[in-house]
Amino acid sequence: MIPRIPPGAPRRAGYLQPGRAGDTAMAEARIGEIVIIGGGTAGWMAAAALARFVGSQVSIRLIESDAIGTIGVGEATIPQLKLFNAGLGIDEAMFVRATSATFKLGIEFDGWREPGARYIHAFGAIGRGHGLIPFHHYWLRHRAEGGTIPLWAFSASAQAAARNRFAPLQEQPDQLPSGMDYAFHFDAGLYAAFLRDYAERLGVRRIEGRIADVVLGGETGFVQAVTLEDGTRLAGDLFVDCSGFRGLVIEQALGAGYDDWSRWLPCDRALAVPSARVDPLTPFTRSSARKAGWQWRIPLQHRTGNGHVYCSAFTSDDDAAATLLAHLDGAPLADPRPLRFTTGKRRRMWIKNCVALGLAAGFMEPLESTSIHLVQAGIARLLQLFPTAGFDPADIAEFNRQSDFEWTSIRDFLILHYHANARDGAFWAACRNIAIPDSLAHKIALFRANGRLFREHEELFTELGWLQVMIGQGIDPAGYHPLADQLAPQELVDFMTLARQHTDRVVASLPDHAAFIARHCAAPARDTVAA
């Protein structure tokens, strides 16, 4: 059961009371009715967050149809999801049990640089900076002087992942930080159900039905209502479009337009299939390069999630399915489920009184587990810029500006994985020869010269994320920051030794990943096929 969070003010179905807003005119300017189009992970994340933070002021209804399936491929996450769950007041152990989750310390990339080569994009810190410069410049000097210690020897998350160890450490103020961070693997369908229960307890009303029509105002062009197939008319002030690729409101009714990024990210199809759980229960996602794309492996408590993202111009659907099934490490539990997509985003994710989230906003392949985060980020932006009934154009423009920046910076990070490769084959040669965006070319050039990395405007992936993928994909800097030479040779040896010893001590203190789950947050037995 999900604990009810006290909503604070009394819930009302309509506008705020005049006394709370200050005067009647102000009260009438408030949003009173929110209609969410579509359920799934995006819809119920939006419903839960809106109910938690503005539910005392508005009425929230969510329309979904049991006859319409959800995509549900986003089972791996990044650490920011902990903030979302914490904001809702959700107990972590309860969440892990309810969603058959496991813990995730990073993503292992197998064969992306070249066959047989592996590296991990691990969460958390790598070493500790010294003076004015980050740790990796000292590591670059260490390597330039003949040192052979790999970068990931200084990452507690990477080393714990390699040894199948995990526990959420409580940082102590009188000790060095552990350097660890983590996210989750979970069943997306179970997470949506978990959040539905949460949202309905806070007053969200679910309406079963399929939308037949979107009613726009003749003069304003704002969405006035949606009509269901049974004739039911549902009016609202703010509409949140979580209708998937169709973009039922944002695209079909409001004509947002779509930025097609397939010239940089050419994969356009995916197949997903569950397989039987196998041990050990690894605390990381695996992404393995294939002939014309890549394959994911996501371990859950009750099964393993698998999928193959590929480019149809370089392989057939049958060959892609055969490749996927040939590389499962457990028995398949269903037939592969197909998905077609065009990587990109809506040109505007907020138009008039409609905000798009999830697949209605765009699609980024799950290479770095960003799908659920982009929903979370969109919800956070909506709450930060929550409108009045006047829907000020400046607020809408800022939402779209921030969304464009985040999506574009993630796009560049994904392109990096494909572009920097030394694999054989027509697909990988095509990716290597793509004319990359100037923004990405600048990052690569800056790093290739002297290992410099800068995070701009709170972009999602930090310098450490870019560092690991750059090094992992074989982009080697010619130099390093000159201040790294301030340490004497023996001081550098001591500095590196102490950093590695600290990592080893942290990892040695951790229990086995599966044992931790069994002891603290084991899920009930589940139907492995249905999930």
Side-chain angles (χ1 to χ4, degrees), residues 130 133-149 151 154 450-451 471 477-496:
H130 178 70
I133 59 174
F135 174 83
H136 76 269
H137 286 285
Y138 296 100
W139 176 78
L140 288 171
R141 177 190 161 190
H142 159 80
R143 192 175 66 164
E145 294 177 358
T148 58
I149 304 174
L151 177 68
F154 305 99
N450 288 295
I471 294 295
Y480 52 83
H481 199 295
L483 290 181
D485 286 328
Q486 289 185 327
L487 291 182
Q490 187 57 47
E491 289 176 326
L492 179 64
V493 171
D494 293 343
F495 180 62
M496 304 297 284

Side-chain angles (χ1 to χ4, degrees), residues 56 147 151 168 173 207 280 296 332 395 399 460 498 506 511 529:
S56 63
L151 177 68
I207 297 172
W296 77 74
D395 292 336
F399 182 98
L460 176 60
L498 289 171
V506 169
V529 178

Side-chain angles (χ1 to χ4, degrees), residues 88 141 220 222 314 333:
L88 297 185
R141 177 190 161 190
T220 64
F222 276 58
F314 291 90
L333 301 175

Side-chain angles (χ1 to χ4, degrees), residues 229-242:
E229 289 180 341
D230 65 3
T232 301
R233 188 177 189 272
L234 298 168
D237 302 310
L238 172 65
F239 291 80
V240 181
D241 189 347
C242 301

Side-chain angles (χ1 to χ4, degrees), residues 450-468:
N450 288 295
R452 301 185 199 275
L453 291 162
F454 297 96
R455 185 183 183 194
E456 296 185 40
H457 309 302
E458 298 301 314
E459 63 180 293
L460 176 60
F461 292 105
T462 67
E463 296 92 338
L464 288 175
W466 284 92
L467 170 68
Q468 292 177 80

Side-chain angles (χ1 to χ4, degrees), residues 332-368:
L333 301 175
D335 293 328
R337 182 164 51 93
L339 169 69
R340 296 189 179 192
F341 59 86
T342 300
T343 300
K345 65 171 185 63
R346 303 291 175 201
R347 291 187 184 131
R348 291 179 293 164
M349 297 179 192
W350 186 341
I351 299 176
K352 299 185 183 296
N353 62 335
C354 175
V355 175
L357 297 174
L359 296 176
F363 182 81
M364 212 89 77
E365 62 183 77
L367 181 58
E368 283 282 355

Side-chain angles (χ1 to χ4, degrees), residues 498-514:
L498 289 171
R500 187 169 190 178
Q501 288 175 347
H502 174 64
T503 297
D504 290 342
R505 281 195 299 270
V506 169
V507 176
S509 72
L510 300 173
D512 175 78
H513 176 226

